[in-house]
Amino acid sequence: MLHSRFQESSIGGLPRKQNVLQHVMPPVINLFRSNGNRKQNMTSCNIRKVKTEASNLDLSALTAVSPLDGRYGRTTAPLRQTFSEFGLIRFRVLVECRWLQKLSHIEGVTEVPTFSPEANRLLDELATTFNVEQALQVKEIEKTTNHDVKAIEYVLKDHFKKNAELNKVLEFTHFACTSEDINNLSHALMLKEAVEEQILPNMDKIISELNRLATEFAEVPMLSRTHGQTASPTTMGKEMAVFAYRLKRQRDQVAAVPMMGKIAGAVGNYNAHISAYPDVDWQTVAEEFVTSLGLEFNPYVTQIEPHDYIAELFSAIIRFNNILIDFDRDVWGYISLGYFKQRTIAGEVGSSTMPHKVNPIDFENSEGNLGLANAMMEHLVNKLPISRWQRDLTDSTVLRNLGVGAGHCLIAYASTLRGISKLQLNTASLAADLDNSWEVLAEPIQTVMRRYGVPEPYEKLKAFTRGQRVTQESMQNFVEGLDGLPEDAKASLKHLTPATYIGNAAEQARSLSKHFN
């Protein structure tokens, strides 16, 4: 569009470029030229026109407000069936159908007899194969009810009318339930599905890759840096093992968080249930039902399940993410030091102006998205366990964002994995760094001196190394000149190099899997 206007003839004697700017940037030009209200009115019209055109855009990956469904939609697509509006409706339908089936098995609820295989097949089909077209019917009815759970009840009743048995018990759909009975169980099932099918598998991929790096680089010596300064050497594999072990601990804590649920009525006391069937042990019924869904029963609730487990779950994920941020930053630093090169991808551009650059963008993208995930989940951690008296609605709107943090997690995890796949160890750079850091042997030398009673070992090494350029030759000369040190100890220290002074780092890296088991 701009290109075509640059080809137009000049108007009013002005150069072409000025005419284009006047056409496409009237707000800017009007800051410098004031020709009365006419141009200002034209500007307002142009702005209104742009706004009107934008408001008519169809929703797509290109026009989505959130990058979760836009730029990164391919990565987050697996979460759509779980955390979308459709996903929530799908789980609500499942809970409603299963509750009606549960009622048919309660001996004291004689008005709902045991269903035939045909009636159960219909309920099972609705519970497990509910589709987008059916969800659209719910949304259409919701336009009238202005209540999403009630709209689901009406749609289900329409389906139940197709079966003679279910048609007789239509009013037992959503029996004795408050909306939150359905919602809390749906949210728990959503989280359960996402954790088991997306979050944990991706965490496991990262841990597996770090385990691989730990084994592959177990014996590759590397200069440590504490406080950013040269320190006693380690191995690259051992440092990878540290992160793998830390992440595995948090991953296991994520997996251990129970997804909890309740179906105890308007304020958690089974008031309506007991008023209709006082002889039924409704709390036992509720526990049987909740656990049948694969959830853990919460016996003490108000109108809502208090959401404490969600706070526990997200706190555990945040801890995993924080460790992964630590990893991303460390690898970013190792790339900067030249310890790692990055495998180039044909056609990729590192910088729009510096052709030589291969930026560590995957680790940077991961770090940014982990921060966004943690920010969202941190709010849910702090907000969800708090609700005034027996319930307020502040949890309702934020619960619709359960999948936002998870979406940013998936983007981050994919970016870290992509970054790891490009890493190529630069052993020459690692070796050169070690060979330029002979001062790190001050630690073992002064420690051996302590063993043999050489006076003031720390002070002697401090005076020799601090602020001084230390080489292999000068270090060996220092050792040779030590009085009181046995010759075999001197020989051992003189054979020591920064590359061999790695303690049991290699063994730690190789034994990582043992600790996992």
Side-chain angles (χ1 to χ4, degrees):
M1 184 176 180
L2 284 177
H3 177 75
S4 64
R5 284 175 180 159
F6 271 108
Q7 309 307 313
E8 295 174 359
S9 301
S10 57
I11 301 172
L14 293 174
R16 291 190 183 96
K17 188 173 182 180
Q18 287 178 284
N19 286 324
V20 173
L21 290 175
Q22 185 174 0
H23 185 83
V24 300
M25 293 175 49
V28 176
I29 294 173
N30 283 340
L31 291 175
F32 301 97
R33 299 181 190 167
S34 179
N35 276 337
N37 293 332
R38 185 174 62 85
K39 286 187 177 179
Q40 292 178 358
N41 291 336
M42 290 175 64
T43 300
S44 299
C45 289
N46 286 338
I47 292 174
R48 284 197 297 271
K49 182 179 178 182
V50 170
K51 285 183 177 179
T52 300
E53 290 175 351
S55 67
N56 291 332
L57 290 174
D58 291 331
L59 180 62
S60 69
L62 187 62
T63 62
V65 172
S66 169
L68 290 178
D69 289 316
R71 184 178 183 87
Y72 303 119
R74 185 185 304 175
T75 303
T76 61
L79 294 176
R80 290 176 183 169
Q81 67 172 353
T82 306
F83 286 122
S84 64
E85 181 78 358
F86 163 71
L88 178 57
I89 293 172
R90 176 170 68 93
F91 281 113
R92 284 165 163 168
V93 168
L94 182 149
V95 174
E96 294 277 13
C97 290
R98 296 300 186 220
W99 180 238
L100 187 57
Q101 287 175 312
K102 178 63 178 177
L103 293 174
S104 74
H105 291 296
I106 300 174
E107 186 175 338
V109 184
T110 55
E111 287 76 12
V112 186
T114 302
F115 294 140
S116 68
E118 182 184 357
N120 275 314
R121 271 195 300 272
L122 175 58
L123 290 168
D124 289 341
E125 183 179 342
L126 284 168
T128 59
T129 66
F130 198 79
N131 58 43
V132 172
E133 183 179 349
Q134 292 168 318
L136 287 172
Q137 297 172 4
V138 173
K139 298 304 293 183
E140 187 63 30
I141 291 178
E142 188 185 338
K143 292 177 182 178
T144 301
T145 62
N146 198 30
H147 195 289
D148 46 4
V149 175
K150 203 66 179 175
I152 291 169
E153 179 186 341
Y154 289 158
V155 167
L156 287 177
K157 284 181 176 179
D158 283 342
H159 283 282
F160 295 163
K161 290 175 183 177
K162 302 172 185 176
N163 178 276
E165 293 175 67
L166 299 179
N167 189 47
K168 292 178 180 178
V169 295
L170 286 183
E171 296 311 318
F172 282 86
T173 308
H174 198 71
F175 175 77
C177 291
T178 183
S179 296
E180 186 56 22
D181 285 327
I182 308 303
N183 287 339
N184 89 94
L185 295 171
S186 298
H187 291 139
L189 291 170
M190 292 164 73
L191 289 168
K192 179 179 172 66
E193 182 174 272
V195 167
E196 292 178 353
E197 296 183 9
Q198 301 300 327
I199 299 298
L200 289 177
N202 279 282
M203 287 179 171
D204 288 339
K205 288 178 185 177
I206 293 172
I207 295 166
S208 176
E209 280 298 286
L210 293 184
N211 194 0
R212 177 183 65 80
L213 294 179
T215 302
E216 185 176 344
F217 304 141
E219 299 187 35
V220 179
M222 179 182 81
L223 188 67
S224 293
R225 281 177 167 78
T226 58
H227 311 283
Q229 309 302 307
T230 57
S232 301
T234 181
T235 70
M236 181 62 79
K238 185 263 179 174
E239 300 313 304
M240 296 297 104
V242 169
F243 282 110
Y245 183 76
R246 294 174 65 195
L247 290 169
K248 178 65 162 57
R249 284 192 67 246
Q250 300 309 319
R251 176 262 181 227
D252 289 345
Q253 291 184 44
V254 170
V257 174
M259 308 298 173
M260 304 190 76
K262 73 98 180 182
I263 189 162
V267 293
N269 302 331
Y270 307 95
N271 305 49
H273 310 64
I274 293 171
S275 67
Y277 295 98
D279 296 328
V280 173
D281 183 355
W282 285 106
Q283 184 146 336
T284 297
V285 168
E287 182 171 3
E288 291 172 352
F289 178 67
V290 170
T291 56
S292 74
L293 297 175
L295 306 175
E296 186 168 313
F297 177 65
N298 188 341
Y300 289 97
V301 296
T302 58
Q303 184 174 101
I304 62 172
E305 197 289 322
H307 312 314
D308 297 339
Y309 81 89
I310 302 180
E312 294 166 13
L313 173 66
F314 286 164
S315 292
I317 295 175
I318 288 171
R319 291 194 299 273
F320 181 96
N321 289 352
N322 281 335
I323 295 169
L324 193 57
I325 289 173
D326 197 24
F327 170 79
D328 288 337
R329 290 179 178 177
D330 272 17
V331 175
W332 187 97
Y334 293 146
I335 292 170
S336 180
L337 290 172
Y339 290 179
F340 282 116
K341 294 179 180 179
Q342 295 180 98
R343 181 172 53 85
T344 57
I345 306 298
E348 282 193 359
V349 174
S351 166
S352 63
T353 186
M354 293 173 279
H356 70 282
K357 297 191 73 179
V358 183
N359 295 328
I361 56 173
D362 297 306
F363 298 105
E364 293 170 339
N365 180 282
S366 174
E367 181 180 342
N369 277 285
L370 289 169
L372 286 169
N374 287 359
M376 173 57 73
M377 290 188 292
E378 186 70 35
H379 177 68
L380 293 170
V381 165
N382 292 324
K383 193 277 147 281
L384 287 179
I386 300 170
S387 185
R388 297 173 183 87
W389 292 337
Q390 283 67 54
R391 197 266 167 97
D392 67 46
L393 264 179
T394 54
D395 65 324
S396 178
T397 186
V398 298
L399 281 166
R400 293 184 181 275
N401 294 275
L402 284 179
V404 176
H408 285 291
C409 284
L410 291 195
I411 296 167
Y413 300 162
S415 293
T416 293
L417 287 165
R418 188 164 53 249
I420 291 173
S421 73
K422 296 178 183 178
L423 293 178
Q424 296 176 318
L425 196 65
N426 186 355
T427 54
S429 178
L430 287 161
D433 212 10
L434 286 163
D435 199 44
N436 287 326
S437 305
W438 282 83
E439 68 275 8
V440 299
L441 297 185
E443 181 191 43
I445 292 172
Q446 65 95 10
T447 304
V448 173
M449 289 168 66
R450 288 174 187 271
R451 174 186 175 183
Y452 291 104
V454 178
E456 297 185 328
Y458 181 89
E459 287 72 20
K460 285 183 171 66
L461 267 299
K462 176 182 175 183
F464 172 62
T465 59
R466 201 169 189 186
Q468 307 296 319
R469 168 67 176 152
V470 180
T471 65
Q472 180 178 9
E473 182 181 6
S474 66
M475 184 63 81
Q476 291 182 346
N477 288 338
F478 176 85
V479 171
E480 184 61 37
L482 288 173
D483 294 331
L485 202 63
E487 289 303 315
D488 60 339
K490 285 185 180 181
S492 178
L493 289 174
K494 287 166 69 174
H495 279 93
L496 194 61
T497 71
T500 60
Y501 180 52
I502 58 172
N504 73 339
E507 181 184 344
Q508 287 191 50
R510 288 193 298 267
S511 64
L512 177 63
S513 297
K514 176 183 70 176
H515 294 287
F516 281 1
N517 292 335

